[in-house]
Amino acid sequence: MLFFQEEIDRLINDDLPYGDLTTDILDLSGSCEVEFIARQDLVVCATEEAKRVLERFNIVVEGFVPSGTLLKKGDFLLKASGDFKNVQKCYRVCSNLVEHACGLATKTKNFVDLAKSANPNIRIATTRKTFPFAKKLVIKSILSGSASVHRLGLSETILIFKEHIMFMGGLDKLIDKIDEIKRRAYDKVVCVEVENLDDAVKLARAGIDFLQLDKFDVEQTKRAVLQLRNINNNIKIAAAGGINDKNVLDYVKTGVDSIVTSWLYFAKPSDIGVKFTKVL
């Protein structure tokens, strides 16, 4: 995930629009070492961006652990040294980055591991309901936690919702056009979200590539998978809506190919300590 320099600078400017009034008034000077330490087991994320923030202030990063790494409580994420005033200007930006990103990545990894304990081939994917203005960081966190992205946005996937179907004039109108839609989207998978089994069966018989079962309960999902596989054993099936760590195993065991969720986006920040040492 590439963050442009202007995005890094925007983070800095949010917290440091003019200067560090406290440190300037105290008239402090000298060098220090700073270390970011995991206070819990976690999955690392956004240390690369924290490194770039520090380097923007001529702080030397002596070592960092890359995103996606599993750490134990007490392990370090990043070590750096430089002018104390400069470290004070930007360390909080760094800690905010890694705390929130690691929290998302850790929650994601725990969820993925739980789901894969029932089916190693299950795909955990997240929606485009990311937190506003934080999409890149959120997506990097999800990927660092070993999940994938169901939809980054409207531009790269085809997912037909009930609103599209209503505007077309109903499900039968969509079915009449499936072959035409697949020709026009020749290099893309065509997915339709359905809210009941009857519609799912009709679409499967019409040759749709991918069905997303929206808010089906576990038993409904199980029945749907059996019927749809009898029609087309190669059809892709995703379960979506209200899936979390309390019910994901039940959904995985239904035989769906994918779990689609927004639940992972709401994670508590990881507990990461920042230790300063004065260099004499």
Side-chain angles (χ1 to χ4, degrees):
M1 187 69 62
L2 174 64
F3 283 76
F4 297 107
Q5 190 60 53
E6 65 185 31
E7 294 171 307
I8 299 294
D9 290 345
R10 193 179 307 129
L11 284 174
I12 296 167
N13 290 335
D14 282 345
D15 198 43
L16 189 75
Y18 303 109
D20 178 1
L21 184 59
T22 304
T23 306
D24 290 343
I25 284 178
L26 293 174
D27 195 24
L28 300 174
S29 62
S31 299
C32 74
E33 294 177 347
V34 62
E35 185 173 6
F36 294 78
I37 301 167
R39 288 177 172 159
Q40 64 178 89
D41 295 353
L42 55 80
V43 177
V44 176
C45 187
T47 45
E48 295 86 358
E49 288 68 45
K51 175 177 180 288
R52 290 175 64 188
V53 170
L54 291 165
E55 290 174 342
R56 199 68 168 157
F57 289 84
N58 297 316
I59 298 162
V60 177
V61 175
E62 298 163 353
F64 75 97
V65 179
S67 294
T69 305
L70 303 178
L71 291 187
K72 294 291 186 182
K73 180 179 179 179
D75 291 344
F76 91 95
L77 290 82
L78 184 150
K79 297 177 182 178
S81 62
D83 181 80
F84 176 76
K85 281 187 176 181
N86 285 343
V87 174
Q88 279 292 309
K89 288 175 182 176
C90 64
Y91 88 90
R92 179 58 67 194
V93 173
C94 297
S95 65
N96 280 343
L97 267 173
V98 295
E99 285 172 359
H100 285 282
C102 290
L104 286 165
T106 302
K107 181 176 182 177
T108 301
K109 184 66 165 61
N110 291 340
F111 189 77
V112 170
D113 287 350
L114 178 63
K116 286 184 177 292
S117 70
N119 176 6
N121 297 317
I122 193 70
R123 175 178 178 261
I124 303 299
T126 56
T127 70
R128 61 188 174 98
K129 297 177 184 178
T130 53
F131 194 81
F133 303 107
K135 189 168 193 173
K136 275 191 176 180
L137 187 65
V138 168
I139 296 303
K140 177 165 185 170
S141 303
I142 295 301
L143 297 176
S144 295
S146 302
S148 58
V149 182
H150 184 47
R151 298 190 92 190
L152 279 170
L154 294 175
S155 303
E156 91 291 353
T157 53
I158 299 168
L159 179 50
I160 301 170
F161 289 108
K162 62 182 178 182
E163 293 81 6
H164 298 113
I165 296 171
M166 176 271 294
F167 216 77
M168 291 178 71
L171 186 68
D172 290 340
K173 296 287 187 181
L174 170 61
I175 288 173
D176 289 342
K177 289 191 171 184
I178 282 179
D179 288 341
E180 178 188 343
I181 293 167
K182 291 176 73 172
R183 281 195 302 272
R184 293 181 66 189
Y186 72 98
D187 62 341
K188 298 287 187 181
V189 171
V190 178
C191 181
V192 181
E193 183 175 87
V194 291
E195 296 181 333
N196 61 73
L197 182 55
D198 287 343
D199 287 353
V201 167
K202 289 178 182 178
L203 287 162
R205 287 175 175 158
I208 205 69
D209 303 313
F210 188 176
L211 285 171
Q212 181 167 295
L213 311 180
D214 183 45
K215 296 181 177 66
F216 281 45
D217 65 29
V218 172
E219 289 306 313
Q220 290 172 329
T221 304
K222 199 177 297 182
R223 289 196 297 272
V225 170
L226 286 173
Q227 289 195 42
L228 297 172
R229 296 275 188 240
N230 283 333
I231 296 167
N232 176 7
N233 193 48
N234 294 318
I235 194 169
K236 299 300 181 186
I237 306 170
I243 301 177
N244 54 49
D245 60 343
K246 301 294 189 297
N247 58 15
V248 66
L249 284 177
D250 293 329
Y251 276 98
V252 171
K253 291 173 184 177
T254 63
V256 294
D257 301 290
S258 178
I259 300 293
V260 177
T261 180
S262 303
W263 180 77
L264 294 174
Y265 293 145
F266 304 95
K268 180 181 177 180
S270 291
D271 189 1
I272 296 170
V274 183
K275 178 183 176 182
F276 282 83
T277 304
K278 186 175 182 179
V279 177
L280 301 176

